[in-house]
Amino acid sequence: MLNFQAVREKKMKMSDLAASLTCNDLRALTHEMIDKEMELLRDCVDADVVFQPVDPIANDTFAATDAEKGLAWTLGHVIVHGTASSEESAFLAAEMARGVANHGRSRSEVPWKSVTTIRQCRDRLEESRRMRLATLDVWPTEAHLHVVYEPYPGAAEMNAVTRFIGGLSHEDSHLGQIADIVRQARAGRD
């Protein structure tokens, strides 16, 4: 898996991390991410998916309601959020690779409250794997890596490869959260 720590610490640019990556590398990285999440969920049961963890720094500025802003995310919530973020990046990257200038967001997220079983989490991960890999199949042989955009003012420009791994970076940033929720849920079962 890619190590995004240097990028997070601003010691390296995402574009430098992505510089040598190929479309096949992006496929392998997608498999590694989903496989890692599946491993974290290996011994989970349905109760773990809806378990309400303790998270003293919970702060969801994009929550649907004010009551949900400080609510710690359930395992189901983190899974649907992480997969939606990587899928959005994958779909945007596919358009850019084809020469289409960025035109905004491309986000679709499963309602987190509807995910209540471990089977739904695993199915969501596998569905996300399938969709992300499919986006890479639409990349032309010679991707238009000169097509770039600035995702927000002051951010470094992204091309198709950096857009794709930007989603993986976001998903990667939630792996520790997943592990902590699983740990808390198991402790609550014991």
Side-chain angles (χ1 to χ4, degrees):
M1 288 181 58
L2 286 177
N3 184 342
F4 294 101
Q5 194 60 38
V7 174
R8 291 187 183 118
E9 294 173 355
K10 302 201 184 312
K11 295 177 180 174
M12 173 187 267
K13 294 179 183 177
M14 186 76 80
S15 58
D16 293 333
L17 186 61
S20 65
L21 297 176
T22 66
C23 199
N24 283 333
D25 292 329
L26 300 179
R27 282 183 183 86
L29 291 166
T30 297
H31 284 299
E32 287 177 354
M33 180 61 67
I34 298 293
D35 292 348
K36 176 64 176 174
E37 290 168 306
M38 291 294 247
E39 176 63 24
L40 289 170
L41 302 182
R42 186 185 66 229
D43 297 323
C44 288
V45 298
D46 289 348
D48 300 340
V49 177
V50 295
F51 172 80
Q52 189 62 59
V54 174
D55 184 354
I57 61 170
N59 180 26
D60 184 358
T61 57
F62 299 105
T65 67
D66 285 340
E68 292 178 358
K69 285 187 178 179
L71 185 66
W73 287 8
T74 64
L75 185 58
H77 194 159
V78 178
I79 295 297
V80 300
H81 172 78
T83 54
S85 295
S86 279
E87 289 162 17
E88 177 178 24
S89 287
F91 277 87
L92 292 172
E95 288 195 344
M96 294 172 71
R98 294 175 43 244
V100 177
N102 181 274
H103 51 80
R105 302 210 57 191
S106 182
R107 188 172 187 85
S108 175
E109 187 168 324
V110 172
W112 67 270
K113 291 180 182 178
S114 71
V115 179
T116 60
T117 68
I118 195 61
R119 171 58 38 214
Q120 285 177 297
C121 288
R122 290 181 179 125
D123 288 349
R124 172 84 276 271
L125 287 165
E126 288 301 343
E127 178 179 58
S128 187
R129 181 196 312 257
R130 178 183 54 78
M131 292 191 318
R132 289 186 239 176
L133 294 174
T135 68
L136 293 168
D137 286 340
V138 302
W139 281 42
T141 303
E142 295 295 325
H144 295 265
L145 299 181
H146 63 280
V147 175
V148 297
Y149 82 107
E150 183 182 73
Y152 54 88
E157 287 185 334
M158 299 183 117
N159 68 9
V161 177
T162 52
R163 176 69 277 170
F164 193 98
I165 69 167
L168 291 173
S169 174
H170 182 84
E171 194 170 14
D172 178 82
S173 75
H174 287 287
L175 293 177
Q177 184 180 17
I178 292 170
D180 188 52
I181 294 167
V182 169
R183 181 192 58 74
Q184 287 185 46
R186 283 186 187 149
R189 281 193 272 136
D190 294 341

